[in-house]
């Protein structure tokens, strides 16, 4: 589990707040991902970065803004969120994209009031 | 039709039972099939990885892929309370992103 770390583990924010989620991988991987996990729904892929370049943005609202300064770090900046954005946000990394095994962090449990 | 369908359960079985978890899919291009296990308050971890059709066994776990029926299964033999978790199926086509099922929540009662 220490291969991919996420902070904070829990976050409660109001709809007008700005906050950031942080992910760090210690596996030497080239690809990093953000997923949203809601109860009884499939994992929703939000963003993919490969070699620091964003390769996918799955029609995610602009209130979510990713940043990947290097291959080891990934951020998700949050701004003017809605209550329906409350979910578990998971970060993952893999050697390459496609079918390469993804290694997940423990997630950030986000609650938007 | 959803790309990947998985019954979210919950599924409750007694210790020692054989557990069968399943997913169906619609995209015939999927060739890589995975099962992830997610414990409470943890991220998913890879349990089984299968390429194309066939069976793969690892200890008490067996993964089966039937591409003709677009159906994959995970069997757990001699289930233990420590197997209590959510099991997610995942699959991808070559050079495409992975698609996940909703996950099935399993409880194994002592």
């Amino acid at each position: 589990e220490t291969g991919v770390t996420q902070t904070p583990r829990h976050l409660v924010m109001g709809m007008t707040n700005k906050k950031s989620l942080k992910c760090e991988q210690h596996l030497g991987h080239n690809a990093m991902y953000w997923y949203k996990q809601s109860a009884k729904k499939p994992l929703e892929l939000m963003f993919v970065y490969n070699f620091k370049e964003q390769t996918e943005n799955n029609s995610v609202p602009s209130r979510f803004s990713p940043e990947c300064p290097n291959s080891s770090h990934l951020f998700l900046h949050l701004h003017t969120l809605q209550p329906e954005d409350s979910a578990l946000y998971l970060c993952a990394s893999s050697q390459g994209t496609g079918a390469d095994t993804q290694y997940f962090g423990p997630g950030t449990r986000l609650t938007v009031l | 039709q959803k790309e990947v369908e998985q019954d979210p359960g919950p599924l409750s079985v007694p210790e020692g039972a054989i557990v069968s978890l399943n997913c169906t899919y619609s995209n015939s291009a999927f060739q890589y099939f995975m099962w992830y296990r997610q414990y409470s308050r943890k991220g998913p971890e890879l349990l089984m990885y299968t390429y194309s059709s066939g069976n793969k066994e690892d200890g008490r776990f067996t993964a089966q892929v039937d591409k003709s029926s677009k159906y994959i299964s995970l069997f757990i033999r001699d289930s233990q309370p420590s197997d209590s978790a959510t099991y997610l199926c995942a699959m991808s086509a070559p050079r495409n992103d992975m698609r996940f099922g909703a996950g099935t929540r399993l409880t194994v009662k002592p």
Side-chain angles (χ1 to χ4, degrees), chain A residues 1 9 35 37 42 56 98-99 101-102 104-105, chain B residues 32 36 38 41-44 46 49 92 96-97 100:
Chain A
E1 184 180 334
R9 296 293 306 273
Y35 286 91
Q37 187 175 36
E56 182 140 354
T101 300
Q102 294 184 20
F104 286 84
Chain B
Y32 304 93
Y36 282 81
Q38 185 175 18
R41 292 185 292 279
K42 298 281 183 72
L46 182 68
Y49 189 116
S92 74
N96 276 272
D97 293 315
F100 287 83

mmCIF file with all atom_site columns, all heavy atoms in Angstrom, chain A residues 1 9 35 37 42 56 98-99 101-102 104-105, chain B residues 32 36 38 41-44 46 49 92 96-97 100:
data_model
loop_
_atom_site.group_PDB
_atom_site.id
_atom_site.type_symbol
_atom_site.label_atom_id
_atom_site.label_alt_id
_atom_site.label_comp_id
_atom_site.label_asym_id
_atom_site.label_entity_id
_atom_site.label_seq_id
_atom_site.pdbx_PDB_ins_code
_atom_site.Cartn_x
_atom_site.Cartn_y
_atom_site.Cartn_z
_atom_site.occupancy
_atom_site.B_iso_or_equiv
_atom_site.pdbx_formal_charge
_atom_site.auth_seq_id
_atom_site.auth_comp_id
_atom_site.auth_asym_id
_atom_site.auth_atom_id
_atom_site.pdbx_PDB_model_num
ATOM 1   N N   . GLU A 1 1   ? 0.823   -1.204  0.000   1.00 0.00 ? 1   GLU A N   1
ATOM 2   C CA  . GLU A 1 1   ? 0.000   0.000   0.000   1.00 0.00 ? 1   GLU A CA  1
ATOM 3   C C   . GLU A 1 1   ? 0.855   1.251   0.000   1.00 0.00 ? 1   GLU A C   1
ATOM 4   O O   . GLU A 1 1   ? 0.438   2.302   -0.444  1.00 0.00 ? 1   GLU A O   1
ATOM 5   C CB  . GLU A 1 1   ? -0.930  -0.036  1.220   1.00 0.00 ? 1   GLU A CB  1
ATOM 6   C CG  . GLU A 1 1   ? -1.896  1.133   1.252   1.00 0.00 ? 1   GLU A CG  1
ATOM 7   C CD  . GLU A 1 1   ? -2.812  1.081   2.458   1.00 0.00 ? 1   GLU A CD  1
ATOM 8   O OE1 . GLU A 1 1   ? -3.061  -0.018  2.969   1.00 0.00 ? 1   GLU A OE1 1
ATOM 9   O OE2 . GLU A 1 1   ? -3.247  2.141   2.888   1.00 0.00 ? 1   GLU A OE2 1
ATOM 10  N N   . ARG A 1 9   ? -6.638  11.797  3.813   1.00 0.00 ? 9   ARG A N   1
ATOM 11  C CA  . ARG A 1 9   ? -7.484  10.606  3.732   1.00 0.00 ? 9   ARG A CA  1
ATOM 12  C C   . ARG A 1 9   ? -8.969  10.963  3.807   1.00 0.00 ? 9   ARG A C   1
ATOM 13  O O   . ARG A 1 9   ? -9.799  10.266  3.222   1.00 0.00 ? 9   ARG A O   1
ATOM 14  C CB  . ARG A 1 9   ? -7.131  9.625   4.850   1.00 0.00 ? 9   ARG A CB  1
ATOM 15  C CG  . ARG A 1 9   ? -5.724  9.059   4.751   1.00 0.00 ? 9   ARG A CG  1
ATOM 16  C CD  . ARG A 1 9   ? -5.562  8.137   3.521   1.00 0.00 ? 9   ARG A CD  1
ATOM 17  N NE  . ARG A 1 9   ? -6.563  7.094   3.503   1.00 0.00 ? 9   ARG A NE  1
ATOM 18  C CZ  . ARG A 1 9   ? -6.432  5.928   4.117   1.00 0.00 ? 9   ARG A CZ  1
ATOM 19  N NH1 . ARG A 1 9   ? -5.335  5.657   4.786   1.00 0.00 ? 9   ARG A NH1 1
ATOM 20  N NH2 . ARG A 1 9   ? -7.391  5.013   4.031   1.00 0.00 ? 9   ARG A NH2 1
ATOM 21  N N   . TYR A 1 35  ? -9.508  8.449   -10.259 1.00 0.00 ? 35  TYR A N   1
ATOM 22  C CA  . TYR A 1 35  ? -10.798 7.806   -10.381 1.00 0.00 ? 35  TYR A CA  1
ATOM 23  C C   . TYR A 1 35  ? -11.738 8.357   -9.314  1.00 0.00 ? 35  TYR A C   1
ATOM 24  O O   . TYR A 1 35  ? -11.313 8.710   -8.231  1.00 0.00 ? 35  TYR A O   1
ATOM 25  C CB  . TYR A 1 35  ? -10.699 6.300   -10.133 1.00 0.00 ? 35  TYR A CB  1
ATOM 26  C CG  . TYR A 1 35  ? -10.064 5.484   -11.228 1.00 0.00 ? 35  TYR A CG  1
ATOM 27  C CD1 . TYR A 1 35  ? -8.693  5.233   -11.213 1.00 0.00 ? 35  TYR A CD1 1
ATOM 28  C CD2 . TYR A 1 35  ? -10.834 4.929   -12.247 1.00 0.00 ? 35  TYR A CD2 1
ATOM 29  C CE1 . TYR A 1 35  ? -8.112  4.446   -12.214 1.00 0.00 ? 35  TYR A CE1 1
ATOM 30  C CE2 . TYR A 1 35  ? -10.266 4.139   -13.238 1.00 0.00 ? 35  TYR A CE2 1
ATOM 31  C CZ  . TYR A 1 35  ? -8.898  3.902   -13.207 1.00 0.00 ? 35  TYR A CZ  1
ATOM 32  O OH  . TYR A 1 35  ? -8.327  3.121   -14.185 1.00 0.00 ? 35  TYR A OH  1
ATOM 33  N N   . GLN A 1 37  ? -14.980 6.994   -7.070  1.00 0.00 ? 37  GLN A N   1
ATOM 34  C CA  . GLN A 1 37  ? -15.717 5.790   -6.694  1.00 0.00 ? 37  GLN A CA  1
ATOM 35  C C   . GLN A 1 37  ? -16.922 6.177   -5.846  1.00 0.00 ? 37  GLN A C   1
ATOM 36  O O   . GLN A 1 37  ? -16.775 6.686   -4.736  1.00 0.00 ? 37  GLN A O   1
ATOM 37  C CB  . GLN A 1 37  ? -14.823 4.802   -5.929  1.00 0.00 ? 37  GLN A CB  1
ATOM 38  C CG  . GLN A 1 37  ? -15.504 3.470   -5.665  1.00 0.00 ? 37  GLN A CG  1
ATOM 39  C CD  . GLN A 1 37  ? -14.579 2.451   -5.021  1.00 0.00 ? 37  GLN A CD  1
ATOM 40  O OE1 . GLN A 1 37  ? -13.733 2.787   -4.199  1.00 0.00 ? 37  GLN A OE1 1
ATOM 41  N NE2 . GLN A 1 37  ? -14.726 1.191   -5.405  1.00 0.00 ? 37  GLN A NE2 1
ATOM 42  N N   . PRO A 1 42  ? -19.656 1.754   -10.961 1.00 0.00 ? 42  PRO A N   1
ATOM 43  C CA  . PRO A 1 42  ? -18.296 1.417   -11.398 1.00 0.00 ? 42  PRO A CA  1
ATOM 44  C C   . PRO A 1 42  ? -17.332 2.564   -11.133 1.00 0.00 ? 42  PRO A C   1
ATOM 45  O O   . PRO A 1 42  ? -17.742 3.732   -11.087 1.00 0.00 ? 42  PRO A O   1
ATOM 46  C CB  . PRO A 1 42  ? -18.461 1.193   -12.900 1.00 0.00 ? 42  PRO A CB  1
ATOM 47  C CG  . PRO A 1 42  ? -19.907 0.942   -13.115 1.00 0.00 ? 42  PRO A CG  1
ATOM 48  C CD  . PRO A 1 42  ? -20.624 1.730   -12.053 1.00 0.00 ? 42  PRO A CD  1
ATOM 49  N N   . GLU A 1 56  ? -6.049  11.760  -21.198 1.00 0.00 ? 56  GLU A N   1
ATOM 50  C CA  . GLU A 1 56  ? -7.490  11.554  -21.186 1.00 0.00 ? 56  GLU A CA  1
ATOM 51  C C   . GLU A 1 56  ? -8.149  12.461  -20.174 1.00 0.00 ? 56  GLU A C   1
ATOM 52  O O   . GLU A 1 56  ? -7.646  12.651  -19.067 1.00 0.00 ? 56  GLU A O   1
ATOM 53  C CB  . GLU A 1 56  ? -7.827  10.100  -20.854 1.00 0.00 ? 56  GLU A CB  1
ATOM 54  C CG  . GLU A 1 56  ? -9.322  9.798   -20.860 1.00 0.00 ? 56  GLU A CG  1
ATOM 55  C CD  . GLU A 1 56  ? -9.671  8.468   -21.477 1.00 0.00 ? 56  GLU A CD  1
ATOM 56  O OE1 . GLU A 1 56  ? -8.779  7.805   -22.008 1.00 0.00 ? 56  GLU A OE1 1
ATOM 57  O OE2 . GLU A 1 56  ? -10.839 8.099   -21.429 1.00 0.00 ? 56  GLU A OE2 1
ATOM 58  N N   . GLY A 1 98  ? -3.180  1.534   -20.801 1.00 0.00 ? 98  GLY A N   1
ATOM 59  C CA  . GLY A 1 98  ? -3.832  0.357   -21.370 1.00 0.00 ? 98  GLY A CA  1
ATOM 60  C C   . GLY A 1 98  ? -4.039  -0.712  -20.317 1.00 0.00 ? 98  GLY A C   1
ATOM 61  O O   . GLY A 1 98  ? -4.614  -0.468  -19.262 1.00 0.00 ? 98  GLY A O   1
ATOM 62  N N   . ALA A 1 99  ? -3.553  -1.907  -20.611 1.00 0.00 ? 99  ALA A N   1
ATOM 63  C CA  . ALA A 1 99  ? -3.829  -3.053  -19.751 1.00 0.00 ? 99  ALA A CA  1
ATOM 64  C C   . ALA A 1 99  ? -2.795  -3.251  -18.648 1.00 0.00 ? 99  ALA A C   1
ATOM 65  O O   . ALA A 1 99  ? -2.858  -4.228  -17.914 1.00 0.00 ? 99  ALA A O   1
ATOM 66  C CB  . ALA A 1 99  ? -3.925  -4.320  -20.587 1.00 0.00 ? 99  ALA A CB  1
ATOM 67  N N   . THR A 1 101 ? -1.025  -3.302  -15.201 1.00 0.00 ? 101 THR A N   1
ATOM 68  C CA  . THR A 1 101 ? -1.598  -3.379  -13.855 1.00 0.00 ? 101 THR A CA  1
ATOM 69  C C   . THR A 1 101 ? -1.533  -2.029  -13.172 1.00 0.00 ? 101 THR A C   1
ATOM 70  O O   . THR A 1 101 ? -0.481  -1.379  -13.152 1.00 0.00 ? 101 THR A O   1
ATOM 71  C CB  . THR A 1 101 ? -0.828  -4.408  -13.014 1.00 0.00 ? 101 THR A CB  1
ATOM 72  O OG1 . THR A 1 101 ? -0.931  -5.677  -13.647 1.00 0.00 ? 101 THR A OG1 1
ATOM 73  C CG2 . THR A 1 101 ? -1.419  -4.507  -11.611 1.00 0.00 ? 101 THR A CG2 1
ATOM 74  N N   . GLN A 1 102 ? -2.653  -1.636  -12.608 1.00 0.00 ? 102 GLN A N   1
ATOM 75  C CA  . GLN A 1 102 ? -2.710  -0.376  -11.892 1.00 0.00 ? 102 GLN A CA  1
ATOM 76  C C   . GLN A 1 102 ? -2.604  -0.628  -10.389 1.00 0.00 ? 102 GLN A C   1
ATOM 77  O O   . GLN A 1 102 ? -3.217  -1.556  -9.864  1.00 0.00 ? 102 GLN A O   1
ATOM 78  C CB  . GLN A 1 102 ? -4.009  0.361   -12.219 1.00 0.00 ? 102 GLN A CB  1
ATOM 79  C CG  . GLN A 1 102 ? -4.070  0.789   -13.680 1.00 0.00 ? 102 GLN A CG  1
ATOM 80  C CD  . GLN A 1 102 ? -5.300  1.602   -14.020 1.00 0.00 ? 102 GLN A CD  1
ATOM 81  O OE1 . GLN A 1 102 ? -5.946  2.170   -13.147 1.00 0.00 ? 102 GLN A OE1 1
ATOM 82  N NE2 . GLN A 1 102 ? -5.628  1.673   -15.296 1.00 0.00 ? 102 GLN A NE2 1
ATOM 83  N N   . PHE A 1 104 ? -3.261  1.097   -6.740  1.00 0.00 ? 104 PHE A N   1
ATOM 84  C CA  . PHE A 1 104 ? -4.101  2.153   -6.203  1.00 0.00 ? 104 PHE A CA  1
ATOM 85  C C   . PHE A 1 104 ? -3.610  2.640   -4.844  1.00 0.00 ? 104 PHE A C   1
ATOM 86  O O   . PHE A 1 104 ? -3.048  1.877   -4.052  1.00 0.00 ? 104 PHE A O   1
ATOM 87  C CB  . PHE A 1 104 ? -5.544  1.649   -6.033  1.00 0.00 ? 104 PHE A CB  1
ATOM 88  C CG  . PHE A 1 104 ? -6.291  1.510   -7.325  1.00 0.00 ? 104 PHE A CG  1
ATOM 89  C CD1 . PHE A 1 104 ? -6.154  0.364   -8.100  1.00 0.00 ? 104 PHE A CD1 1
ATOM 90  C CD2 . PHE A 1 104 ? -7.129  2.516   -7.771  1.00 0.00 ? 104 PHE A CD2 1
ATOM 91  C CE1 . PHE A 1 104 ? -6.844  0.234   -9.311  1.00 0.00 ? 104 PHE A CE1 1
ATOM 92  C CE2 . PHE A 1 104 ? -7.828  2.392   -8.964  1.00 0.00 ? 104 PHE A CE2 1
ATOM 93  C CZ  . PHE A 1 104 ? -7.678  1.247   -9.729  1.00 0.00 ? 104 PHE A CZ  1
ATOM 94  N N   . GLY A 1 105 ? -3.865  3.910   -4.597  1.00 0.00 ? 105 GLY A N   1
ATOM 95  C CA  . GLY A 1 105 ? -3.701  4.463   -3.269  1.00 0.00 ? 105 GLY A CA  1
ATOM 96  C C   . GLY A 1 105 ? -4.933  4.160   -2.427  1.00 0.00 ? 105 GLY A C   1
ATOM 97  O O   . GLY A 1 105 ? -5.908  3.582   -2.923  1.00 0.00 ? 105 GLY A O   1
ATOM 98  N N   . TYR B 2 32  ? -8.016  -8.267  -21.938 1.00 0.00 ? 32  TYR B N   1
ATOM 99  C CA  . TYR B 2 32  ? -7.329  -8.368  -20.656 1.00 0.00 ? 32  TYR B CA  1
ATOM 100 C C   . TYR B 2 32  ? -8.376  -8.259  -19.558 1.00 0.00 ? 32  TYR B C   1
ATOM 101 O O   . TYR B 2 32  ? -9.179  -7.328  -19.545 1.00 0.00 ? 32  TYR B O   1
ATOM 102 C CB  . TYR B 2 32  ? -6.304  -7.241  -20.514 1.00 0.00 ? 32  TYR B CB  1
ATOM 103 C CG  . TYR B 2 32  ? -5.296  -7.211  -21.637 1.00 0.00 ? 32  TYR B CG  1
ATOM 104 C CD1 . TYR B 2 32  ? -5.521  -6.422  -22.766 1.00 0.00 ? 32  TYR B CD1 1
ATOM 105 C CD2 . TYR B 2 32  ? -4.141  -7.973  -21.574 1.00 0.00 ? 32  TYR B CD2 1
ATOM 106 C CE1 . TYR B 2 32  ? -4.610  -6.402  -23.799 1.00 0.00 ? 32  TYR B CE1 1
ATOM 107 C CE2 . TYR B 2 32  ? -3.218  -7.947  -22.618 1.00 0.00 ? 32  TYR B CE2 1
ATOM 108 C CZ  . TYR B 2 32  ? -3.461  -7.167  -23.724 1.00 0.00 ? 32  TYR B CZ  1
ATOM 109 O OH  . TYR B 2 32  ? -2.563  -7.149  -24.752 1.00 0.00 ? 32  TYR B OH  1
ATOM 110 N N   . TYR B 2 36  ? -9.915  -7.234  -8.956  1.00 0.00 ? 36  TYR B N   1
ATOM 111 C CA  . TYR B 2 36  ? -9.313  -6.487  -7.867  1.00 0.00 ? 36  TYR B CA  1
ATOM 112 C C   . TYR B 2 36  ? -10.109 -6.748  -6.590  1.00 0.00 ? 36  TYR B C   1
ATOM 113 O O   . TYR B 2 36  ? -11.331 -6.924  -6.623  1.00 0.00 ? 36  TYR B O   1
ATOM 114 C CB  . TYR B 2 36  ? -9.344  -4.974  -8.164  1.00 0.00 ? 36  TYR B CB  1
ATOM 115 C CG  . TYR B 2 36  ? -8.295  -4.492  -9.129  1.00 0.00 ? 36  TYR B CG  1
ATOM 116 C CD1 . TYR B 2 36  ? -8.458  -4.627  -10.497 1.00 0.00 ? 36  TYR B CD1 1
ATOM 117 C CD2 . TYR B 2 36  ? -7.135  -3.883  -8.661  1.00 0.00 ? 36  TYR B CD2 1
ATOM 118 C CE1 . TYR B 2 36  ? -7.480  -4.161  -11.383 1.00 0.00 ? 36  TYR B CE1 1
ATOM 119 C CE2 . TYR B 2 36  ? -6.164  -3.414  -9.539  1.00 0.00 ? 36  TYR B CE2 1
ATOM 120 C CZ  . TYR B 2 36  ? -6.348  -3.565  -10.892 1.00 0.00 ? 36  TYR B CZ  1
ATOM 121 O OH  . TYR B 2 36  ? -5.392  -3.099  -11.759 1.00 0.00 ? 36  TYR B OH  1
ATOM 122 N N   . GLN B 2 38  ? -10.917 -5.073  -2.803  1.00 0.00 ? 38  GLN B N   1
ATOM 123 C CA  . GLN B 2 38  ? -10.849 -3.809  -2.066  1.00 0.00 ? 38  GLN B CA  1
ATOM 124 C C   . GLN B 2 38  ? -11.396 -4.011  -0.662  1.00 0.00 ? 38  GLN B C   1
ATOM 125 O O   . GLN B 2 38  ? -12.595 -4.234  -0.466  1.00 0.00 ? 38  GLN B O   1
ATOM 126 C CB  . GLN B 2 38  ? -11.649 -2.716  -2.797  1.00 0.00 ? 38  GLN B CB  1
ATOM 127 C CG  . GLN B 2 38  ? -11.532 -1.344  -2.156  1.00 0.00 ? 38  GLN B CG  1
ATOM 128 C CD  . GLN B 2 38  ? -12.237 -0.268  -2.966  1.00 0.00 ? 38  GLN B CD  1
ATOM 129 O OE1 . GLN B 2 38  ? -13.091 -0.552  -3.812  1.00 0.00 ? 38  GLN B OE1 1
ATOM 130 N NE2 . GLN B 2 38  ? -11.892 0.988   -2.714  1.00 0.00 ? 38  GLN B NE2 1
ATOM 131 N N   . ARG B 2 41  ? -11.898 0.887   3.547   1.00 0.00 ? 41  ARG B N   1
ATOM 132 C CA  . ARG B 2 41  ? -10.971 2.003   3.790   1.00 0.00 ? 41  ARG B CA  1
ATOM 133 C C   . ARG B 2 41  ? -9.612  1.807   3.121   1.00 0.00 ? 41  ARG B C   1
ATOM 134 O O   . ARG B 2 41  ? -8.608  2.393   3.528   1.00 0.00 ? 41  ARG B O   1
ATOM 135 C CB  . ARG B 2 41  ? -10.796 2.280   5.276   1.00 0.00 ? 41  ARG B CB  1
ATOM 136 C CG  . ARG B 2 41  ? -12.055 2.839   5.920   1.00 0.00 ? 41  ARG B CG  1
ATOM 137 C CD  . ARG B 2 41  ? -11.798 3.207   7.377   1.00 0.00 ? 41  ARG B CD  1
ATOM 138 N NE  . ARG B 2 41  ? -11.559 2.035   8.211   1.00 0.00 ? 41  ARG B NE  1
ATOM 139 C CZ  . ARG B 2 41  ? -12.515 1.264   8.695   1.00 0.00 ? 41  ARG B CZ  1
ATOM 140 N NH1 . ARG B 2 41  ? -13.783 1.547   8.434   1.00 0.00 ? 41  ARG B NH1 1
ATOM 141 N NH2 . ARG B 2 41  ? -12.233 0.234   9.454   1.00 0.00 ? 41  ARG B NH2 1
ATOM 142 N N   . LYS B 2 42  ? -9.582  0.952   2.091   1.00 0.00 ? 42  LYS B N   1
ATOM 143 C CA  . LYS B 2 42  ? -8.352  0.752   1.331   1.00 0.00 ? 42  LYS B CA  1
ATOM 144 C C   . LYS B 2 42  ? -8.646  0.919   -0.161  1.00 0.00 ? 42  LYS B C   1
ATOM 145 O O   . LYS B 2 42  ? -9.802  0.891   -0.596  1.00 0.00 ? 42  LYS B O   1
ATOM 146 C CB  . LYS B 2 42  ? -7.802  -0.661  1.565   1.00 0.00 ? 42  LYS B CB  1
ATOM 147 C CG  . LYS B 2 42  ? -7.427  -0.979  3.004   1.00 0.00 ? 42  LYS B CG  1
ATOM 148 C CD  . LYS B 2 42  ? -6.096  -0.402  3.357   1.00 0.00 ? 42  LYS B CD  1
ATOM 149 C CE  . LYS B 2 42  ? -5.663  -0.760  4.769   1.00 0.00 ? 42  LYS B CE  1
ATOM 150 N NZ  . LYS B 2 42  ? -5.272  -2.170  4.907   1.00 0.00 ? 42  LYS B NZ  1
ATOM 151 N N   . GLY B 2 43  ? -7.581  1.081   -0.955  1.00 0.00 ? 43  GLY B N   1
ATOM 152 C CA  . GLY B 2 43  ? -7.744  1.101   -2.391  1.00 0.00 ? 43  GLY B CA  1
ATOM 153 C C   . GLY B 2 43  ? -7.788  -0.314  -2.952  1.00 0.00 ? 43  GLY B C   1
ATOM 154 O O   . GLY B 2 43  ? -7.379  -1.270  -2.290  1.00 0.00 ? 43  GLY B O   1
ATOM 155 N N   . PRO B 2 44  ? -8.280  -0.492  -4.170  1.00 0.00 ? 44  PRO B N   1
ATOM 156 C CA  . PRO B 2 44  ? -8.299  -1.825  -4.792  1.00 0.00 ? 44  PRO B CA  1
ATOM 157 C C   . PRO B 2 44  ? -6.875  -2.349  -4.987  1.00 0.00 ? 44  PRO B C   1
ATOM 158 O O   . PRO B 2 44  ? -5.952  -1.571  -5.270  1.00 0.00 ? 44  PRO B O   1
ATOM 159 C CB  . PRO B 2 44  ? -8.980  -1.580  -6.139  1.00 0.00 ? 44  PRO B CB  1
ATOM 160 C CG  . PRO B 2 44  ? -9.718  -0.288  -5.991  1.00 0.00 ? 44  PRO B CG  1
ATOM 161 C CD  . PRO B 2 44  ? -8.910  0.526   -5.029  1.00 0.00 ? 44  PRO B CD  1
ATOM 162 N N   . LEU B 2 46  ? -4.740  -5.651  -7.054  1.00 0.00 ? 46  LEU B N   1
ATOM 163 C CA  . LEU B 2 46  ? -4.903  -6.683  -8.063  1.00 0.00 ? 46  LEU B CA  1
ATOM 164 C C   . LEU B 2 46  ? -4.859  -8.067  -7.434  1.00 0.00 ? 46  LEU B C   1
ATOM 165 O O   . LEU B 2 46  ? -3.962  -8.389  -6.660  1.00 0.00 ? 46  LEU B O   1
ATOM 166 C CB  . LEU B 2 46  ? -3.807  -6.554  -9.121  1.00 0.00 ? 46  LEU B CB  1
ATOM 167 C CG  . LEU B 2 46  ? -3.915  -7.556  -10.269 1.00 0.00 ? 46  LEU B CG  1
ATOM 168 C CD1 . LEU B 2 46  ? -5.152  -7.242  -11.128 1.00 0.00 ? 46  LEU B CD1 1
ATOM 169 C CD2 . LEU B 2 46  ? -2.657  -7.518  -11.126 1.00 0.00 ? 46  LEU B CD2 1
ATOM 170 N N   . TYR B 2 49  ? -5.090  -11.746 -12.906 1.00 0.00 ? 49  TYR B N   1
ATOM 171 C CA  . TYR B 2 49  ? -4.931  -11.103 -14.219 1.00 0.00 ? 49  TYR B CA  1
ATOM 172 C C   . TYR B 2 49  ? -4.943  -12.211 -15.261 1.00 0.00 ? 49  TYR B C   1
ATOM 173 O O   . TYR B 2 49  ? -4.149  -13.134 -15.194 1.00 0.00 ? 49  TYR B O   1
ATOM 174 C CB  . TYR B 2 49  ? -3.613  -10.331 -14.244 1.00 0.00 ? 49  TYR B CB  1
ATOM 175 C CG  . TYR B 2 49  ? -3.390  -9.444  -15.447 1.00 0.00 ? 49  TYR B CG  1
ATOM 176 C CD1 . TYR B 2 49  ? -3.281  -8.068  -15.302 1.00 0.00 ? 49  TYR B CD1 1
ATOM 177 C CD2 . TYR B 2 49  ? -3.255  -9.978  -16.732 1.00 0.00 ? 49  TYR B CD2 1
ATOM 178 C CE1 . TYR B 2 49  ? -3.067  -7.242  -16.388 1.00 0.00 ? 49  TYR B CE1 1
ATOM 179 C CE2 . TYR B 2 49  ? -3.043  -9.164  -17.822 1.00 0.00 ? 49  TYR B CE2 1
ATOM 180 C CZ  . TYR B 2 49  ? -2.942  -7.788  -17.649 1.00 0.00 ? 49  TYR B CZ  1
ATOM 181 O OH  . TYR B 2 49  ? -2.729  -6.982  -18.737 1.00 0.00 ? 49  TYR B OH  1
ATOM 182 N N   . SER B 2 92  ? -9.880  -4.562  -20.288 1.00 0.00 ? 92  SER B N   1
ATOM 183 C CA  . SER B 2 92  ? -9.486  -3.544  -21.251 1.00 0.00 ? 92  SER B CA  1
ATOM 184 C C   . SER B 2 92  ? -9.181  -4.183  -22.596 1.00 0.00 ? 92  SER B C   1
ATOM 185 O O   . SER B 2 92  ? -8.866  -5.366  -22.693 1.00 0.00 ? 92  SER B O   1
ATOM 186 C CB  . SER B 2 92  ? -8.278  -2.748  -20.751 1.00 0.00 ? 92  SER B CB  1
ATOM 187 O OG  . SER B 2 92  ? -7.109  -3.502  -20.846 1.00 0.00 ? 92  SER B OG  1
ATOM 188 N N   . ASN B 2 96  ? -6.229  0.551   -24.742 1.00 0.00 ? 96  ASN B N   1
ATOM 189 C CA  . ASN B 2 96  ? -7.377  1.304   -24.254 1.00 0.00 ? 96  ASN B CA  1
ATOM 190 C C   . ASN B 2 96  ? -7.401  1.299   -22.738 1.00 0.00 ? 96  ASN B C   1
ATOM 191 O O   . ASN B 2 96  ? -6.809  0.442   -22.102 1.00 0.00 ? 96  ASN B O   1
ATOM 192 C CB  . ASN B 2 96  ? -8.689  0.712   -24.790 1.00 0.00 ? 96  ASN B CB  1
ATOM 193 C CG  . ASN B 2 96  ? -9.005  1.226   -26.169 1.00 0.00 ? 96  ASN B CG  1
ATOM 194 O OD1 . ASN B 2 96  ? -9.633  2.249   -26.354 1.00 0.00 ? 96  ASN B OD1 1
ATOM 195 N ND2 . ASN B 2 96  ? -8.536  0.499   -27.157 1.00 0.00 ? 96  ASN B ND2 1
ATOM 196 N N   . ASP B 2 97  ? -8.101  2.279   -22.184 1.00 0.00 ? 97  ASP B N   1
ATOM 197 C CA  . ASP B 2 97  ? -8.180  2.357   -20.738 1.00 0.00 ? 97  ASP B CA  1
ATOM 198 C C   . ASP B 2 97  ? -9.023  1.222   -20.165 1.00 0.00 ? 97  ASP B C   1
ATOM 199 O O   . ASP B 2 97  ? -9.875  0.649   -20.831 1.00 0.00 ? 97  ASP B O   1
ATOM 200 C CB  . ASP B 2 97  ? -8.785  3.701   -20.314 1.00 0.00 ? 97  ASP B CB  1
ATOM 201 C CG  . ASP B 2 97  ? -7.866  4.859   -20.658 1.00 0.00 ? 97  ASP B CG  1
ATOM 202 O OD1 . ASP B 2 97  ? -6.658  4.748   -20.397 1.00 0.00 ? 97  ASP B OD1 1
ATOM 203 O OD2 . ASP B 2 97  ? -8.370  5.856   -21.195 1.00 0.00 ? 97  ASP B OD2 1
ATOM 204 N N   . PHE B 2 100 ? -14.137 -0.773  -15.329 1.00 0.00 ? 100 PHE B N   1
ATOM 205 C CA  . PHE B 2 100 ? -14.408 -1.498  -14.092 1.00 0.00 ? 100 PHE B CA  1
ATOM 206 C C   . PHE B 2 100 ? -15.892 -1.793  -13.932 1.00 0.00 ? 100 PHE B C   1
ATOM 207 O O   . PHE B 2 100 ? -16.751 -1.030  -14.395 1.00 0.00 ? 100 PHE B O   1
ATOM 208 C CB  . PHE B 2 100 ? -13.963 -0.667  -12.882 1.00 0.00 ? 100 PHE B CB  1
ATOM 209 C CG  . PHE B 2 100 ? -12.476 -0.597  -12.700 1.00 0.00 ? 100 PHE B CG  1
ATOM 210 C CD1 . PHE B 2 100 ? -11.711 0.310   -13.408 1.00 0.00 ? 100 PHE B CD1 1
ATOM 211 C CD2 . PHE B 2 100 ? -11.834 -1.447  -11.799 1.00 0.00 ? 100 PHE B CD2 1
ATOM 212 C CE1 . PHE B 2 100 ? -10.338 0.374   -13.244 1.00 0.00 ? 100 PHE B CE1 1
ATOM 213 C CE2 . PHE B 2 100 ? -10.468 -1.386  -11.620 1.00 0.00 ? 100 PHE B CE2 1
ATOM 214 C CZ  . PHE B 2 100 ? -9.714  -0.479  -12.344 1.00 0.00 ? 100 PHE B CZ  1
#
